[in-house]
Amino acid sequence: MKIARFSHNSAITYGIVDGPELVVLAGDPMYVGYDTTGERVPLGEVTLLAPAIPRSKIIAVGRNYRAHAEEFGNEAPEEPLLFLKPNTSVIGPDDAIVRPPQSQRTDFEGELAAVIGKVTKNVPADRALDHVFGYTIGNDVTARDLQRTDGQWSRAKGFDTFCPLGPIIETEFDPTVGELQVRLNGETKQKAPLSDMVHPVADIIAFASAAFTLLPGDVILTGTPAGVGPFVSGDVVEVEISGLGILRNPARDA
Ligand code: MG
């Protein structure tokens, strides 16, 4: 099932994608299930929004594809290397990524995003995927120069607009198959199977939930493959994952 969050006639709501239409839901399905309002709206008449609103946090994993760790001279860590992005960094499909004046180099990082569906604490890896509501696409936008000079990553990865999510959440996605691709102005920059992750999604959730209580709507960004690079104002970044669609965002300067 494909779940969208969208605005239509200035109302914001959720819907199930059914061919060219959306079946409108009565509330946030992560909290109140799948009751419908009985209304259907054409997909072409809505504006898609970020499909999840992390109530508490976005947890991201650094260096989770070996070739990406190596492109900056690092090794892939033995345990997942976690960091947080603020929920204020989230934008939706087609929203502009705003390059801040404090940074001279802003990079794209295409990533698979898991959306948590239940309160989760100390879940073992073999049950961790039962706690996922569904999957979407993320872009862990990074001010690469500030990541180096700050010494830790909060500001470099936490600017407003630095977490595009979308276009929809797929509830039946298998995170161990499929391929991720990133295109910059149509040119392929990143391309890797999701099976190249050093720590698979289930292991990341188990590891993270041993530290933090995960809440419905929290988002886990699962790391980026090799090929990250900078973009500038006027560029368009597309992240595509087979089965999840394409997350497209233009860039502009502040
Ligand atoms: Mg990343």
Side-chain angles (χ1 to χ4, degrees):
M1 201 164 36
K2 290 179 165 55
I3 306 293
R5 182 170 157 268
F6 62 95
S7 67
H8 182 244
N9 294 337
S10 70
I12 293 176
T13 188
Y14 293 81
I16 300 168
V17 180
D18 183 22
E21 291 184 325
L22 284 156
V23 177
V24 180
L25 294 172
D28 182 339
M30 265 171 271
Y31 284 84
V32 298
Y34 295 102
D35 284 349
T36 66
T37 63
E39 197 187 350
R40 299 174 77 96
V41 293
L43 259 174
E45 288 182 11
V46 311
T47 302
L48 292 179
L49 307 173
I53 306 283
R55 265 66 164 188
S56 70
K57 55 199 167 296
I58 299 148
I59 298 169
V61 185
R63 301 171 190 158
N64 199 32
Y65 288 77
R66 216 167 293 283
H68 167 61
E70 287 167 359
E71 72 185 338
F72 290 129
N74 300 301
E75 287 184 11
E78 277 190 25
E79 292 187 314
L81 172 61
L82 302 184
F83 60 95
L84 301 175
K85 288 167 84 86
N87 56 8
T88 43
S89 62
V90 171
I91 57 173
D94 299 311
D95 288 340
I97 302 166
V98 179
R99 297 174 71 254
Q102 298 94 321
S103 172
Q104 305 309 307
R105 176 170 164 159
T106 309
D107 282 9
F108 54 82
E109 294 190 0
E111 310 200 1
L112 173 68
V115 182
I116 296 297
K118 303 175 189 175
V119 177
T120 301
K121 179 69 182 175
N122 288 326
V123 69
D126 63 357
R127 288 197 288 111
L129 298 188
D130 298 342
H131 290 242
V132 175
F133 175 75
Y135 296 85
T136 188
I137 302 170
N139 187 346
D140 176 22
V141 178
T142 302
R144 194 67 69 198
D145 48 352
L146 302 183
Q147 186 185 24
R148 293 197 182 103
T149 55
D150 282 0
Q152 53 82 35
W153 305 355
S154 298
R155 184 170 68 132
K157 288 173 173 284
F159 281 95
D160 290 354
T161 76
F162 272 26
C163 191
L165 293 175
I168 52 90
I169 295 172
E170 173 58 76
T171 59
E172 281 143 54
F173 185 76
D174 180 348
T176 64
V177 298
E179 184 187 73
L180 182 151
Q181 268 198 59
V182 175
R183 293 180 292 274
L184 181 65
N185 304 322
E187 186 187 334
T188 301
K189 297 289 189 181
Q190 296 184 275
K191 187 174 159 93
L194 297 175
S195 58
D196 275 4
M197 283 182 204
V198 175
H199 304 287
V201 177
D203 290 6
I204 296 168
I205 292 171
F207 184 81
S209 83
F212 316 119
T213 300
L214 311 180
L215 301 182
D218 282 353
V219 168
I220 314 271
L221 293 178
T222 57
T224 199
V228 300
F231 58 87
V232 296
S233 181
D235 285 349
V236 174
V237 183
E238 288 177 309
V239 187
E240 179 168 12
I241 295 178
S242 37
L244 299 180
I246 298 172
L247 173 64
R248 181 183 295 108
N249 295 92
R252 67 173 173 84
D253 289 337

